Coordinates of all heavy atoms in Angstrom, one line a residue:
G55 N -16.8 3.2 7.7 CA -16.8 4.6 8.0 C -16.9 5.0 9.4 O -16.9 6.3 9.7
S56 N -16.8 4.0 10.3 CA -16.7 4.4 11.8 C -15.5 5.2 12.0 O -14.4 4.9 11.4 CB -16.7 3.1 12.6 OG -17.8 2.4 12.4
T57 N -15.6 6.2 12.9 CA -14.5 7.1 13.2 C -14.2 7.1 14.6 O -15.0 6.7 15.5 CB -14.9 8.5 12.7 OG1 -16.1 8.9 13.4 CG2 -15.1 8.6 11.2
Y58 N -13.0 7.6 14.9 CA -12.5 7.7 16.3 C -11.5 8.8 16.3 O -10.6 9.0 15.4 CB -11.8 6.3 16.7 CG -10.9 6.3 17.9 CD1 -11.5 6.9 19.1 CD2 -9.7 5.8 18.0 CE1 -10.7 6.9 20.3 CE2 -8.9 5.8 19.1 CZ -9.4 6.3 20.3 OH -8.7 6.3 21.4
Y59 N -11.7 9.7 17.3 CA -10.9 10.9 17.4 C -10.1 11.1 18.7 O -10.6 10.7 19.7 CB -11.8 12.2 17.2 CG -12.4 12.4 15.9 CD1 -13.7 11.8 15.6 CD2 -11.8 13.1 14.9 CE1 -14.3 12.0 14.4 CE2 -12.3 13.2 13.6 CZ -13.6 12.7 13.4 OH -14.2 12.9 12.1
A60 N -9.0 11.7 18.6 CA -8.3 12.1 19.8 C -9.1 13.2 20.4 O -9.6 14.1 19.8 CB -6.9 12.5 19.5
D61 N -9.1 13.3 21.8 CA -9.8 14.3 22.5 C -9.3 15.7 22.1 O -10.1 16.7 22.1 CB -9.7 14.1 24.0 CG -10.5 12.9 24.5 OD1 -11.4 12.5 23.8 OD2 -10.2 12.5 25.6
S62 N -8.0 15.8 21.8 CA -7.4 17.1 21.5 C -8.0 17.7 20.2 O -7.8 19.0 20.1 CB -5.9 16.9 21.4 OG -5.6 16.0 20.3
V63 N -8.5 16.9 19.3 CA -9.0 17.5 18.1 C -10.5 17.3 17.8 O -11.1 17.8 16.8 CB -8.2 17.0 16.9 CG1 -6.8 17.3 17.0 CG2 -8.5 15.5 16.7
K64 N -11.1 16.6 18.7 CA -12.5 16.3 18.6 C -13.3 17.6 18.5 O -13.2 18.5 19.3 CB -13.0 15.4 19.8 CG -14.4 14.7 19.6 CD -14.7 13.9 20.8 CE -13.7 12.7 20.9 NZ -14.0 11.8 22.0
G65 N -14.2 17.7 17.5 CA -15.0 18.9 17.3 C -14.3 19.9 16.4 O -15.0 20.8 15.9
R66 N -13.1 19.8 16.1 CA -12.4 20.7 15.2 C -11.9 20.0 13.9 O -11.9 20.6 12.9 CB -11.1 21.4 15.9 CG -11.4 22.3 17.0 CD -10.1 23.1 17.3 NE -9.0 22.3 17.7 CZ -7.8 22.4 17.1 NH1 -7.6 23.3 16.1 NH2 -6.8 21.6 17.5
F67 N -11.5 18.7 14.1 CA -11.1 18.0 12.9 C -12.1 17.0 12.5 O -12.8 16.4 13.4 CB -9.8 17.3 13.2 CG -8.6 18.2 13.4 CD1 -8.7 19.6 13.4 CD2 -7.3 17.6 13.5 CE1 -7.6 20.4 13.6 CE2 -6.2 18.5 13.7 CZ -6.3 19.9 13.7
T68 N -12.3 16.7 11.3 CA -13.2 15.7 10.7 C -12.5 14.8 9.7 O -12.0 15.3 8.7 CB -14.4 16.4 10.1 OG1 -15.0 17.2 11.0 CG2 -15.4 15.3 9.7
I69 N -12.5 13.5 9.9 CA -11.9 12.6 9.0 C -13.1 12.0 8.1 O -14.2 11.8 8.6 CB -11.2 11.5 9.7 CG1 -10.4 10.6 8.7 CG2 -12.1 10.6 10.6 CD1 -9.4 9.6 9.4
S70 N -12.8 11.9 6.9 CA -13.8 11.3 5.9 C -13.1 10.5 4.9 O -11.8 10.5 4.7 CB -14.6 12.4 5.2 OG -13.7 13.3 4.5
K71 N -13.8 9.7 4.1 CA -13.2 8.9 3.1 C -14.0 8.9 1.8 O -15.2 9.2 1.8 CB -13.1 7.4 3.6 CG -14.5 6.8 3.8 CD -14.2 5.3 4.4 CE -15.6 4.7 4.6 NZ -16.3 4.4 3.4
D72 N -13.4 8.6 0.8 CA -14.0 8.4 -0.6 C -13.5 7.1 -1.2 O -12.5 7.1 -1.7 CB -13.8 9.6 -1.4 CG -14.6 9.6 -2.8 OD1 -15.0 8.4 -3.2 OD2 -14.7 10.6 -3.4
N73 N -14.3 6.0 -1.0 CA -13.9 4.7 -1.5 C -13.7 4.7 -3.0 O -12.8 4.0 -3.5 CB -14.8 3.6 -1.0 CG -14.8 3.4 0.5 OD1 -15.0 4.3 1.3 ND2 -14.5 2.2 0.9
T74 N -14.5 5.5 -3.7 CA -14.4 5.5 -5.1 C -13.1 6.0 -5.7 O -12.6 5.7 -6.7 CB -15.6 6.2 -5.8 OG1 -15.6 7.6 -5.4 CG2 -16.9 5.6 -5.3
K75 N -12.5 6.9 -4.9 CA -11.3 7.6 -5.3 C -10.1 7.1 -4.4 O -9.0 7.5 -4.6 CB -11.4 9.1 -5.1 CG -12.4 9.7 -6.0 CD -12.5 11.3 -5.8 CE -13.5 11.9 -6.6 NZ -13.6 13.4 -6.5
N76 N -10.4 6.1 -3.5 CA -9.3 5.6 -2.6 C -8.6 6.8 -1.9 O -7.4 6.9 -1.9 CB -8.3 4.8 -3.4 CG -8.8 3.4 -3.7 OD1 -9.9 3.0 -3.2 ND2 -8.1 2.7 -4.4
M77 N -9.4 7.7 -1.3 CA -8.9 8.9 -0.7 C -9.5 9.0 0.7 O -10.6 8.7 0.9 CB -9.1 10.1 -1.5 CG -8.3 10.1 -2.8 SD -8.3 11.7 -3.6 CE -7.2 12.6 -2.5
V78 N -8.6 9.5 1.6 CA -9.1 9.9 3.0 C -8.7 11.3 3.2 O -7.6 11.8 2.7 CB -8.4 9.0 4.0 CG1 -8.8 9.5 5.4 CG2 -8.8 7.5 3.8
A79 N -9.6 12.0 3.8 CA -9.4 13.5 4.0 C -9.5 13.8 5.5 O -10.1 13.1 6.3 CB -10.4 14.3 3.2
L80 N -8.8 14.9 5.8 CA -8.8 15.4 7.2 C -9.2 16.9 7.1 O -8.3 17.7 6.6 CB -7.5 15.2 8.0 CG -7.6 15.6 9.4 CD1 -8.5 14.7 10.2 CD2 -6.2 15.7 10.1
Q81 N -10.4 17.2 7.5 CA -10.8 18.7 7.5 C -10.4 19.2 8.8 O -10.9 18.7 9.9 CB -12.3 18.8 7.2 CG -12.9 20.2 7.3 CD -12.4 21.1 6.2 OE1 -12.2 20.7 5.1 NE2 -12.1 22.3 6.6
M82 N -9.6 20.3 8.8 CA -9.2 20.9 10.1 C -9.7 22.3 10.1 O -9.4 23.2 9.3 CB -7.7 20.9 10.1 CG -7.0 19.5 9.9 SD -5.3 19.5 10.1 CE -4.8 20.5 8.7
D83 N -10.5 22.6 11.2 CA -11.1 23.9 11.4 C -10.5 24.6 12.6 O -10.0 23.9 13.5 CB -12.6 23.8 11.4 CG -13.2 23.3 10.2 OD1 -12.8 23.7 9.1 OD2 -14.2 22.4 10.3
S84 N -10.7 25.9 12.7 CA -10.2 26.6 13.8 C -8.8 26.3 14.2 O -8.5 26.0 15.4 CB -11.2 26.4 15.0 OG -12.5 26.7 14.7
L85 N -7.9 26.3 13.2 CA -6.5 25.9 13.5 C -5.9 26.9 14.4 O -6.2 28.1 14.5 CB -5.8 25.9 12.2 CG -6.1 24.6 11.3 CD1 -5.7 24.8 9.9 CD2 -5.5 23.4 12.0
K86 N -5.0 26.4 15.2 CA -4.2 27.2 16.2 C -2.7 27.0 15.9 O -2.3 26.0 15.3 CB -4.5 26.6 17.6 CG -6.0 26.5 17.9 CD -6.2 25.8 19.2 CE -7.7 25.5 19.5 NZ -7.9 24.8 20.8
P87 N -1.9 27.9 16.4 CA -0.4 27.7 16.2 C 0.1 26.4 16.7 O 1.0 25.9 16.1 CB 0.1 28.9 17.0 CG -0.9 30.0 16.9 CD -2.2 29.2 17.0
E88 N -0.5 25.9 17.8 CA -0.1 24.6 18.3 C -0.4 23.4 17.4 O 0.0 22.3 17.7 CB -0.6 24.4 19.7 CG -2.0 24.6 19.9 CD -2.4 26.0 20.4 OE1 -1.8 27.0 19.9 OE2 -3.3 26.1 21.3
D89 N -1.2 23.6 16.3 CA -1.4 22.6 15.4 C -0.3 22.5 14.4 O -0.4 21.6 13.5 CB -2.7 22.9 14.7 CG -4.0 22.8 15.6 OD1 -4.0 21.8 16.4 OD2 -4.9 23.6 15.5
T90 N 0.6 23.4 14.4 CA 1.8 23.3 13.5 C 2.5 22.0 13.7 O 3.0 21.6 14.8 CB 2.7 24.5 13.8 OG1 2.0 25.7 13.4 CG2 4.0 24.4 12.9
A91 N 2.7 21.2 12.6 CA 3.3 19.9 12.7 C 3.4 19.3 11.2 O 2.8 19.9 10.3 CB 2.5 19.0 13.5
V92 N 4.1 18.2 11.1 CA 4.0 17.4 9.9 C 2.9 16.4 10.1 O 2.9 15.8 11.2 CB 5.3 16.7 9.6 CG1 5.2 15.8 8.4 CG2 6.5 17.8 9.4
Y93 N 2.0 16.4 9.1 CA 0.8 15.5 9.2 C 1.0 14.3 8.4 O 1.4 14.4 7.2 CB -0.4 16.3 8.8 CG -0.9 17.2 9.9 CD1 -0.2 18.3 10.3 CD2 -2.1 17.0 10.6 CE1 -0.5 19.2 11.2 CE2 -2.5 17.9 11.6 CZ -1.7 18.9 11.9 OH -2.1 19.8 12.9
Y94 N 0.7 13.1 8.9 CA 0.9 11.9 8.2 C -0.4 11.1 8.1 O -1.2 11.1 9.1 CB 1.9 10.9 8.9 CG 3.3 11.5 9.1 CD1 3.6 12.4 10.2 CD2 4.3 11.3 8.1 CE1 4.9 12.9 10.3 CE2 5.6 11.7 8.3 CZ 5.9 12.6 9.4 OH 7.1 13.1 9.5
C95 N -0.6 10.4 7.0 CA -1.7 9.5 6.9 C -1.0 8.1 7.0 O 0.1 7.9 6.7 CB -2.5 9.6 5.6 SG -1.6 9.4 4.1
A96 N -1.9 7.2 7.5 CA -1.4 5.8 7.7 C -2.5 4.8 7.5 O -3.7 5.2 7.6 CB -0.8 5.7 9.1
A97 N -2.1 3.6 7.3 CA -3.1 2.5 7.1 C -2.7 1.3 7.9 O -1.4 0.9 8.0 CB -3.2 2.1 5.6
G98 N -3.6 0.5 8.4 CA -3.3 -0.7 9.2 C -4.6 -1.4 9.4 O -5.7 -1.0 9.1
P99 N -4.4 -2.6 10.1 CA -5.5 -3.5 10.3 C -6.4 -3.1 11.6 O -7.5 -3.7 11.8 CB -4.9 -4.8 10.5 CG -3.6 -4.5 11.0 CD -3.1 -3.2 10.5
A100 N -5.9 -2.3 12.5 CA -6.5 -2.1 13.8 C -7.2 -0.8 13.9 O -6.6 0.2 13.5 CB -5.5 -2.3 14.9
F101 N -8.3 -0.8 14.5 CA -9.0 0.5 14.8 C -8.4 1.0 16.1 O -8.9 0.8 17.2 CB -10.5 0.2 15.0 CG -11.4 1.4 14.9 CD1 -11.5 2.1 13.7 CD2 -12.2 1.8 16.0 CE1 -12.3 3.2 13.6 CE2 -13.0 2.9 15.9 CZ -13.1 3.6 14.8
S102 N -7.4 1.8 15.9 CA -6.5 2.1 17.0 C -5.9 3.5 16.9 O -5.8 4.1 15.8 CB -5.4 1.1 17.0 OG -4.3 1.5 17.9
G103 N -5.5 4.1 18.0 CA -4.9 5.3 18.1 C -3.4 5.2 18.3 O -2.7 6.2 18.4
A104 N -2.9 3.9 18.3 CA -1.4 3.7 18.5 C -0.7 3.6 17.1 O -1.1 2.8 16.3 CB -1.3 2.4 19.2
A105 N 0.3 4.4 17.0 CA 1.1 4.4 15.8 C 1.7 3.1 15.4 O 1.8 2.7 14.3 CB 2.2 5.5 15.9
R106 N 2.0 2.3 16.5 CA 2.6 1.0 16.1 C 1.6 0.0 15.5 O 2.0 -1.0 14.9 CB 3.1 0.3 17.5 CG 1.9 0.0 18.4 CD 2.4 -0.6 19.7 NE 1.3 -0.9 20.6 CZ 0.8 -0.1 21.5 NH1 1.4 1.1 21.6 NH2 -0.1 -0.4 22.3
D107 N 0.3 0.3 15.5 CA -0.7 -0.6 14.8 C -0.8 -0.3 13.4 O -1.6 -0.9 12.7 CB -2.0 -0.4 15.5 CG -2.0 -1.0 17.0 OD1 -1.2 -2.0 17.2 OD2 -2.7 -0.5 17.8
Y108 N -0.2 0.8 12.9 CA -0.3 1.2 11.5 C 1.0 0.7 10.7 O 2.1 1.0 11.1 CB -0.5 2.7 11.4 CG -1.9 3.1 11.9 CD1 -2.1 3.2 13.2 CD2 -2.9 3.3 11.0 CE1 -3.4 3.6 13.7 CE2 -4.2 3.6 11.5 CZ -4.4 3.8 12.8 OH -5.7 4.1 13.3
K109 N 0.7 -0.1 9.6 CA 1.8 -0.7 8.9 C 2.3 0.1 7.7 O 3.4 -0.1 7.2 CB 1.4 -2.0 8.4 CG 0.8 -2.9 9.5 CD 1.7 -3.1 10.7 CE 1.0 -3.9 11.8 NZ 1.8 -4.0 13.0

Side-chain angles (χ1 to χ4, degrees):
S56 298
T57 58
Y58 169 46
Y59 292 92
D61 288 342
S62 59
V63 301
K64 196 176 296 182
R66 291 196 302 128
F67 290 8
T68 303
I69 190 171
S70 61
K71 65 182 180 70
D72 185 338
N73 292 59
T74 63
K75 297 181 180 179
N76 282 352
M77 293 191 72
V78 176
L80 185 70
Q81 175 68 37
M82 305 186 294
D83 299 319
S84 302
L85 283 164
K86 308 172 185 179
E88 50 263 44
D89 293 317
T90 294
V92 177
Y93 284 68
Y94 299 89
C95 60
F101 195 62
S102 165
R106 65 179 179 273
D107 291 331
Y108 291 80
K109 310 305 180 186

